[in-house]
Amino acid sequence: MNKRVTFDNRVLPYLLVTPQIVITVVFFLWPAGQAVWQSLLRQNPFGTSVRFVWFQNFEKLIGDEIYYDAILVTFEFGLLVAFASMAIALFLAVMADRVIKAATAYKTLLIWPYAVAPAVAGVLWLFMFAPTVGIVAYALDSFGYLWNFRVNGGEAMALVVFAATWKQISYNFLFFLAGLQSIPRSLIEAAAIDGAGPTRRFWTIVFPLLSPTTFFLLVVNIVYAFFDTFGIIHAVTAGGPYNATTTMVYKVFNDGFIGQDLGSSAAQSVVLMVIVVTLTVVQFRFIERRVHY
Amino acid sequence: MVENRPIVTIISHALIWLGILIVAFPIYVTFIASTHSLSDVVAAPMPLLPGDLFWENYGTALSAGSGAVSGGTPVWFMMWNSLVMALAIAIGKIFISILSAFAIVYFRFRFRMVFFWMIFLTLMLPVEVRILPTFEVVANLGLLDTYAGLTIPLIASATATFLFRQFFMTIPDELAEAARMDGAGPMRFFKDIVLPLSMTNIAALFVILFIFGWNQYLWPLLITDNLQTIVIGIYSMLNVGDNEAEWNIIMATTMLAMIPPVLVVVFMQRWFVKGLVESEK
C-alpha cells in the first residue's frame, strides 16, 4: 500500500488529515469510549448519583427477557428482510437478464426506491395498511380479514418487513443483474447443448456462480436490516405493539431517550458495537477473497 | 437467452412489468391521495384516480405545512433544511476524505498508519450504536438545533477515504515524478493532477452521499427542533395525538420528500451505479 514516489513535508500531511481526524475523535471515538464507560456505571433516575458497577448492566441484560425478545425480533426481522428482498430481486434480475436489450430500461424503472428514505418508505406502506383509512386494509376487511397492526404484533412485523423489503429490492437487483451479466455465456450455451433446460441451468450453473454476490448481499442486507431501518420502525410502529417490533437498535434509543436508563442503554450500545465489528470483519475477511469479477 | 422461444421472452417481460407495477403501486396510491380532500382520502375506499386538488394540497403543504401540527412548519423550509444537510454532508465528506486520503497515500509521516486505523474504526461505529454519548457531545458544544450540529458529526467517513485511497493508488507514479521534476509542490500536484483525475469518483460519491444525507433520520430526529428536515417533518405530521392526521397533506409532503433524491438517482444513474459498486468494495 505504499507509493514509490512521495512528497517530503514536515507539516503539510498533518494539516491535511486534521479535519477528518478531529471529527473522528470528537464525534466517533470519544462518544464510543463514553458508551463503553457508561455501560459500567449506573445512575439513579434523577441523574444525581452515579455508581461504578462493573458488568452489572450486562448481567442484567443477560437475564432480561425483554432484551432477549429484542434480539429475537432483530434476527427475525433481519432474516425475513434479507431473504425476501434478495429472492424477489434475484427473480426480477433473472427475468431482466433474459431480455438483455430492455434490461437497461428496466433497471431505471426498478432502482429508484433506493433513493427513498427508510422512514418515508415506512409511511408509504403505513398509509396503505392503516386500519380504516388504508386501501389494502380496506380490501382485507372486505375479504373478512380484520387487519389492525396496532394491536396484532405479527401484522406489525409483516408491515415493517414489507416496507424494508420494498426499499431494498432495487439495491439487490442492481448487484444480481451485474453478477448475472458477468457469467460467461459459453457456460450456459454448453449446458443448453447438453440438454439442460432453463430451470436446471439456473440451479446447477447460474446460482452457484452467483454465490459470491449472494453472500456479499446477505451481509449487506443484514447490516441494512439491523441498523438502517430504525426510521421505518420508529415512524410506523414505534416498536409496538407490546414490543413486537422492538429491534435492538430501537431499544437502545428507547431505553436511552425515553426510558432514561442510561447504563442499560450504553451496555446495549456496546453489544451492538460488537455485532458491527463482527459483521465488518466477516465482510472483509470472506468477501475480499471470494468475490472475483 | 440461449433458446429462442418468443413465448418465454414475452413471459419474462410480463413478469418484470408485474414487478415494476407492484414496486410502483405505493407511490401511485400516495400520489392519488395527495390530490384529494382529506374527507375523500379517509373515506374508505379512497378514490383510485387523481383528484383536482393537486395545486391546492401541494401549495398548502409548501407554504403552511400540516394544520394538525401546532405551529406547523412550512414544507419549503423543511426541504431547505434537508437540502442544506444533504449538500453539507456530501461536500463535507468528500472534502475531508480526499484531503486525508491524499496525505496518507502521498506522504510518509509519523503516525500515518495510526491515523489510517482511526479512520477505519469509524466504519464500525454507525451513529445508531453511540446515540446518547454523541448527543451529549453535541449538546455540550452548544450545537443542538443548528446546521453545524446537524451535519458535522455525520461528515467523517471511512468509506469515502478508502475509495479515494484506492483510486490514488492507481494513479501512475510517473505523474507524481514528472510533477516533482517540474518543480510542482504537493498542493500544486493535488490541484492540477489528482483533483481533475478524481472527478468521476467525486461525482459518483456525491450522488450516493447526497441521498445518504437527504434521507438521514435518527440524527435529525434527536437534535433538531426548529430546523426539522422533511423526513422528520412527515413523522411529526403523523404523530398528532388526538388530532386527525391530515393524510392528503402528509402524502403531498411525502411526494416532495421523495422527488429530489429520486431525480438524482434517475438522472445521474451512471454515477449512481458506479458509486454504489465502488463504495461497497
Side-chain angles (χ1 to χ4, degrees):
Chain A
M1 72 162 280
N2 288 315
K3 278 266 183 199
R4 194 165 44 80
V5 184
T6 54
F7 292 94
D8 292 321
N9 196 310
R10 273 164 179 274
V11 196
L12 191 59
Y14 296 101
L15 286 180
L16 290 174
V17 295
T18 302
Q20 176 137 29
I21 295 297
V22 168
I23 291 172
T24 303
V25 170
V26 174
F27 296 108
F28 282 75
L29 302 180
W30 170 253
Q34 285 289 103
V36 174
W37 174 239
Q38 276 171 359
S39 71
L40 305 175
L41 303 176
R42 180 164 303 154
Q43 282 189 352
N44 69 1
F46 310 105
T48 46
S49 80
V50 183
R51 270 186 316 131
F52 187 79
V53 293
W54 284 107
F55 297 106
Q56 269 187 33
N57 288 321
F58 293 95
E59 281 161 23
K60 260 178 68 181
L61 276 186
I62 293 173
D64 186 358
E65 264 183 40
I66 299 178
Y67 191 62
Y68 187 69
D69 284 345
I71 297 176
L72 281 185
V73 166
T74 308
F75 277 88
E76 188 190 347
F77 176 71
L79 290 177
L80 283 172
V81 170
F83 182 76
S85 63
M86 285 170 71
I88 297 169
L90 179 58
F91 179 78
L92 291 174
V94 169
M95 293 299 134
D97 190 43
R98 286 173 168 281
V99 289
I100 211 75
K101 266 180 240 158
T104 330
Y106 287 141
K107 206 154 85 178
T108 313
L109 288 170
L110 277 168
I111 59 169
W112 55 267
Y114 177 86
V116 176
V120 172
V123 173
L124 297 176
W125 287 83
L126 172 68
F127 178 60
M128 292 195 298
F129 282 89
T132 72
V133 179
I135 186 157
V136 181
Y138 173 82
L140 289 170
D141 254 11
S142 54
F143 285 120
Y145 185 89
L146 259 185
W147 167 278
N148 191 344
F149 72 92
R150 295 197 198 280
V151 289
N152 183 320
E155 290 172 6
M157 176 59 100
L159 183 53
V160 287
V161 168
F162 291 158
T165 303
W166 177 81
K167 186 179 147 42
Q168 193 64 0
I169 289 174
S170 51
Y171 184 94
N172 294 340
F173 174 79
L174 212 58
F175 277 85
F176 272 134
L177 187 61
L180 286 170
Q181 291 184 338
S182 73
I183 293 175
R185 295 284 127 172
S186 54
L187 287 178
I188 292 164
E189 274 159 22
I193 291 166
D194 287 348
T199 322
R200 178 103 188 262
R201 287 200 305 266
F202 177 79
W203 288 113
T204 55
I205 297 174
V206 176
F207 191 69
L209 282 173
L210 270 183
S211 61
T213 312
T214 311
F215 185 69
F216 158 79
L217 285 177
L218 187 65
V219 177
V220 171
N221 279 285
I222 287 177
V223 172
Y224 159 80
F226 277 19
F227 298 100
D228 298 341
T229 52
F230 173 85
I232 298 179
I233 290 171
H234 185 256
V236 176
T237 63
Y242 311 111
N243 294 329
T245 52
T246 298
T247 57
M248 292 160 82
V249 169
Y250 189 80
K251 196 164 154 51
V252 172
F253 162 82
N254 201 46
D255 289 357
F257 275 87
I258 320 280
Q260 297 284 320
D261 186 351
L262 302 187
S264 175
S265 172
Q268 295 174 34
S269 289
V270 173
V271 174
L272 281 178
M273 274 185 226
V274 173
I275 294 179
V276 185
V277 170
T278 316
L279 285 171
T280 314
V281 170
V282 168
Q283 198 168 358
F284 273 73
R285 279 266 140 188
F286 296 98
I287 292 174
E288 292 254 315
R289 282 196 210 137
R290 292 191 52 189
V291 182
H292 303 288
Y293 288 107
Chain B
M1 261 304 173
V2 184
E3 298 97 337
N4 193 9
R5 279 188 252 158
I7 186 81
V8 176
T9 314
I10 290 169
I11 291 174
S12 303
H13 280 289
L15 286 171
I16 299 175
W17 274 108
L18 185 69
I20 291 171
L21 291 180
I22 292 172
V23 168
F25 183 69
I27 307 290
Y28 180 74
V29 173
T30 302
F31 175 71
I32 297 303
S34 72
T35 60
H36 283 276
S37 69
L38 179 59
S39 52
D40 280 352
V41 173
V42 296
M46 64 167 271
L48 274 179
L49 289 171
D52 49 10
L53 294 180
F54 176 86
W55 295 109
E56 201 173 323
N57 285 345
Y58 282 78
T60 310
L62 280 170
S63 62
S66 167
V69 184
S70 55
T73 318
V75 172
W76 72 261
F77 184 60
M78 298 177 186
M79 292 183 85
W80 169 251
N81 291 335
S82 289
L83 183 70
V84 170
M85 176 170 68
L87 288 179
I89 290 178
I91 295 170
K93 269 192 190 233
I94 290 171
F95 180 76
I96 67 168
S97 303
I98 200 167
L99 288 184
S100 56
F102 181 67
I104 284 171
V105 172
Y106 278 102
F107 292 90
R108 296 270 153 72
F109 54 107
R110 266 176 79 113
F111 306 122
R112 191 175 70 117
M113 290 316 283
V114 175
F115 290 143
F116 182 75
W117 285 108
M118 274 166 79
I119 295 168
F120 181 78
L121 271 179
T122 61
L123 198 64
M124 305 191 182
L125 300 170
V127 71
E128 282 80 4
V129 310
R130 49 186 172 81
I131 302 172
L132 260 174
T134 317
F135 177 82
E136 281 165 10
V137 168
V138 173
N140 288 336
L141 293 172
L143 294 178
L144 293 183
D145 208 23
T146 63
Y147 287 126
L150 189 56
T151 53
I152 295 173
L154 299 174
I155 275 177
S157 159
T159 327
T161 314
F162 286 173
L163 192 101
F164 282 124
R165 190 192 77 98
Q166 215 104 335
F167 171 67
F168 292 165
M169 295 308 285
T170 68
I171 297 179
D173 278 347
E174 286 74 16
L175 283 177
E177 230 159 27
R180 249 185 14 183
M181 237 181 276
D182 288 345
M187 287 329 279
R188 182 79 194 271
F189 172 66
F190 177 75
K191 186 170 86 56
D192 287 348
I193 295 178
V194 173
L195 208 53
L197 285 175
S198 308
M199 273 310 163
T200 31
N201 282 293
I202 292 178
L205 261 180
F206 180 84
V207 175
I208 300 290
L209 294 176
F210 180 87
I211 296 164
F212 168 85
W214 182 276
N215 289 347
Q216 280 301 314
Y217 186 79
L218 177 58
W219 190 241
L221 175 73
L222 296 182
I223 78 145
T224 59
D225 191 13
N226 295 316
L227 293 182
Q228 268 184 356
T229 61
I230 189 163
V231 180
I232 302 302
I234 293 171
Y235 172 74
S236 45
M237 289 182 185
L238 274 172
N239 267 32
V240 284
D242 291 337
N243 293 343
E244 192 177 19
E246 280 188 290
W247 281 108
N248 54 341
I249 303 295
I250 296 175
M251 290 297 114
T253 312
T254 306
M255 292 302 291
L256 291 169
M258 287 187 289
I259 288 168
V262 168
L263 288 184
V264 167
V265 164
V266 171
F267 284 105
M268 298 180 76
Q269 194 177 336
R270 196 158 63 86
W271 290 285
F272 165 68
V273 173
K274 181 177 159 63
L276 212 54
V277 173
E278 306 252 313
S279 61
E280 287 298 348
K281 264 186 196 157

